[in-house]
Coordinates of all heavy atoms in Angstrom, one line a residue:
N79 N 6.4 -17.0 4.8 CA 5.7 -18.3 5.0 C 5.5 -19.1 3.7 O 4.6 -19.8 3.5 CB 4.3 -18.2 5.7 CG 4.6 -17.9 7.2 OD1 5.7 -17.9 7.6 ND2 3.5 -17.7 7.9
G80 N 6.4 -18.8 2.8 CA 6.4 -19.5 1.5 C 5.4 -19.0 0.5 O 5.2 -19.6 -0.6
T81 N 4.6 -17.9 0.8 CA 3.6 -17.4 -0.1 C 3.8 -16.0 -0.6 O 3.7 -15.8 -1.7 CB 2.2 -17.6 0.6 OG1 2.2 -16.9 1.8 CG2 1.8 -19.1 0.9
L82 N 3.9 -15.1 0.3 CA 4.0 -13.7 -0.1 C 5.4 -13.2 -0.3 O 6.3 -13.5 0.5 CB 3.3 -12.8 1.0 CG 1.8 -12.9 1.2 CD1 1.4 -12.0 2.3 CD2 1.1 -12.5 -0.1
S83 N 5.6 -12.4 -1.3 CA 6.9 -11.9 -1.6 C 7.1 -10.5 -0.9 O 8.0 -9.7 -1.3 CB 7.2 -11.8 -3.1 OG 6.3 -10.9 -3.6
V84 N 6.3 -10.2 0.1 CA 6.5 -8.9 0.9 C 6.6 -9.2 2.3 O 6.2 -10.3 2.8 CB 5.3 -8.0 0.6 CG1 5.3 -7.5 -0.8 CG2 4.0 -8.5 1.0
S85 N 7.2 -8.3 3.1 CA 7.3 -8.5 4.5 C 6.4 -7.4 5.3 O 6.3 -7.6 6.5 CB 8.7 -8.3 5.0 OG 9.2 -7.1 4.5
R86 N 5.8 -6.5 4.6 CA 4.9 -5.6 5.2 C 3.7 -5.5 4.3 O 3.8 -5.5 3.1 CB 5.6 -4.2 5.3 CG 6.8 -4.1 6.1 CD 7.3 -2.7 6.2 NE 8.7 -2.7 6.8 CZ 9.2 -1.8 7.4 NH1 8.5 -0.7 7.7 NH2 10.4 -1.8 7.9
S87 N 2.5 -5.3 4.9 CA 1.3 -5.3 4.1 C 0.2 -4.8 5.0 O 0.2 -5.0 6.2 CB 1.0 -6.7 3.6 OG -0.2 -6.6 2.9
L88 N -0.9 -4.2 4.4 CA -2.0 -3.8 5.2 C -3.1 -4.8 5.0 O -4.1 -4.8 5.7 CB -2.5 -2.4 4.7 CG -1.5 -1.3 4.9 CD1 -2.1 0.0 4.5 CD2 -1.1 -1.2 6.4
G89 N -3.0 -5.7 4.1 CA -4.0 -6.7 3.8 C -3.5 -8.1 4.0 O -2.8 -8.4 5.0
D90 N -3.7 -9.0 3.1 CA -3.1 -10.4 3.1 C -3.4 -11.1 4.5 O -2.5 -11.4 5.2 CB -1.6 -10.4 2.8 CG -1.3 -9.8 1.5 OD1 -1.9 -10.3 0.5 OD2 -0.5 -8.8 1.4
L91 N -4.7 -11.3 4.7 CA -5.1 -11.8 6.0 C -4.6 -13.2 6.4 O -4.3 -13.5 7.5 CB -6.7 -11.8 6.1 CG -7.3 -10.4 5.9 CD1 -8.8 -10.6 6.0 CD2 -6.9 -9.6 7.1
S92 N -4.3 -14.0 5.4 CA -3.8 -15.4 5.6 C -2.5 -15.4 6.3 O -2.1 -16.3 7.1 CB -3.8 -16.2 4.4 OG -2.9 -15.6 3.5
T93 N -1.7 -14.3 6.1 CA -0.3 -14.3 6.7 C -0.1 -13.0 7.6 O 1.0 -12.7 7.9 CB 0.8 -14.4 5.7 OG1 0.6 -13.4 4.7 CG2 0.8 -15.8 5.0
S94 N -1.2 -12.3 7.9 CA -1.1 -11.0 8.5 C -0.4 -11.1 9.9 O 0.2 -10.1 10.3 CB -2.4 -10.4 8.6 OG -3.3 -11.1 9.4
A95 N -0.5 -12.2 10.5 CA 0.2 -12.3 11.9 C 1.7 -12.2 11.8 O 2.3 -11.8 12.7 CB -0.2 -13.6 12.5
Y96 N 2.2 -12.5 10.6 CA 3.7 -12.5 10.4 C 4.2 -11.3 9.7 O 5.4 -11.1 9.5 CB 4.1 -13.7 9.7 CG 3.5 -15.0 10.3 CD1 2.5 -15.7 9.6 CD2 3.9 -15.5 11.6 CE1 1.9 -16.8 10.2 CE2 3.3 -16.5 12.1 CZ 2.3 -17.2 11.4 OH 1.7 -18.3 12.0
L97 N 3.3 -10.4 9.3 CA 3.7 -9.2 8.5 C 3.7 -8.0 9.4 O 2.8 -7.9 10.2 CB 2.8 -9.0 7.3 CG 2.7 -10.1 6.3 CD1 1.6 -9.8 5.3 CD2 4.0 -10.3 5.6
S98 N 4.6 -7.0 9.1 CA 4.5 -5.7 9.7 C 3.6 -4.8 9.0 O 3.4 -4.9 7.8 CB 5.9 -5.1 9.7 OG 5.9 -3.8 10.2
R99 N 2.9 -4.0 9.8 CA 1.9 -3.1 9.2 C 2.5 -1.6 9.3 O 1.9 -0.6 9.0 CB 0.6 -3.1 9.9 CG -0.1 -4.4 9.7 CD -1.5 -4.4 10.1 NE -2.3 -5.6 10.2 CZ -2.4 -6.4 9.2 NH1 -1.8 -6.2 8.1 NH2 -3.1 -7.5 9.3
D100 N 3.8 -1.6 9.8 CA 4.4 -0.3 9.9 C 4.9 0.3 8.6 O 5.7 -0.4 7.9 CB 5.7 -0.3 10.9 CG 5.3 -0.7 12.3 OD1 4.2 -0.4 12.6 OD2 6.1 -1.4 13.0
A101 N 4.4 1.4 8.2 CA 4.8 2.0 6.9 C 6.1 2.8 7.0 O 6.4 3.3 8.1 CB 3.7 3.0 6.4
E102 N 6.8 2.8 5.9 CA 8.0 3.7 5.8 C 7.4 5.0 5.4 O 6.6 5.1 4.4 CB 8.9 3.1 4.7 CG 9.9 4.0 4.1 CD 10.5 3.5 2.8 OE1 9.9 2.6 2.1 OE2 11.6 4.0 2.5
V103 N 7.7 6.1 6.1 CA 7.2 7.4 5.8 C 8.4 8.3 5.5 O 9.4 8.4 6.2 CB 6.4 8.0 7.1 CG1 6.0 9.4 6.8 CG2 5.3 7.1 7.5
V104 N 8.2 9.0 4.3 CA 9.2 9.9 3.8 C 8.7 11.3 3.7 O 7.6 11.4 3.1 CB 9.8 9.3 2.4 CG1 10.8 10.3 1.9 CG2 10.3 7.9 2.6
R105 N 9.4 12.3 4.1 CA 9.1 13.7 3.8 C 10.1 14.2 2.8 O 11.3 14.0 2.9 CB 9.3 14.4 5.1 CG 9.0 15.9 4.9 CD 9.5 16.8 6.1 NE 9.6 18.1 5.7 CZ 8.9 19.1 6.4 NH1 8.2 18.9 7.5 NH2 9.1 20.4 6.0
H106 N 9.4 15.0 1.8 CA 10.3 15.6 0.8 C 9.8 17.0 0.6 O 8.6 17.2 0.3 CB 10.2 14.8 -0.5 CG 10.8 15.5 -1.7 ND1 12.2 15.7 -1.8 CD2 10.3 16.2 -2.8 CE1 12.5 16.3 -2.8 NE2 11.4 16.7 -3.4
D107 N 10.7 18.0 0.8 CA 10.4 19.3 0.5 C 10.5 19.6 -0.9 O 11.6 19.4 -1.6 CB 11.4 20.3 1.3 CG 11.2 20.2 2.8 OD1 10.1 20.2 3.3 OD2 12.2 20.1 3.5
I108 N 9.4 20.0 -1.6 CA 9.4 20.2 -3.0 C 10.4 21.2 -3.5 O 10.5 22.3 -2.9 CB 8.0 20.6 -3.5 CG1 6.9 19.6 -3.1 CG2 8.0 20.8 -5.0 CD1 7.1 18.2 -3.8
D109 N 11.2 20.9 -4.5 CA 12.1 21.8 -5.1 C 11.5 22.2 -6.4 O 11.5 21.5 -7.4 CB 13.5 21.1 -5.3 CG 14.4 21.8 -6.1 OD1 14.2 23.0 -6.4 OD2 15.5 21.3 -6.4
F110 N 10.8 23.3 -6.4 CA 10.0 23.8 -7.6 C 10.9 24.0 -8.8 O 10.5 23.9 -9.9 CB 9.2 25.0 -7.2 CG 8.1 24.7 -6.3 CD1 8.2 25.0 -4.9 CD2 6.9 24.1 -6.7 CE1 7.2 24.6 -4.1 CE2 5.9 23.8 -5.9 CZ 6.0 24.1 -4.6
A111 N 12.2 24.2 -8.6 CA 13.1 24.4 -9.7 C 13.6 23.1 -10.3 O 14.0 23.1 -11.4 CB 14.3 25.3 -9.3

Side-chain angles (χ1 to χ4, degrees):
N79 284 359
T81 57
L82 290 177
S83 62
V84 295
S85 53
R86 300 183 194 207
S87 176
L88 299 180
D90 301 307
L91 296 178
S92 64
T93 56
S94 63
Y96 310 111
L97 300 174
S98 172
R99 298 195 187 302
D100 295 333
E102 164 192 20
V103 178
V104 177
R105 175 197 165 122
H106 173 69
D107 295 315
I108 300 293
D109 174 3
F110 290 100

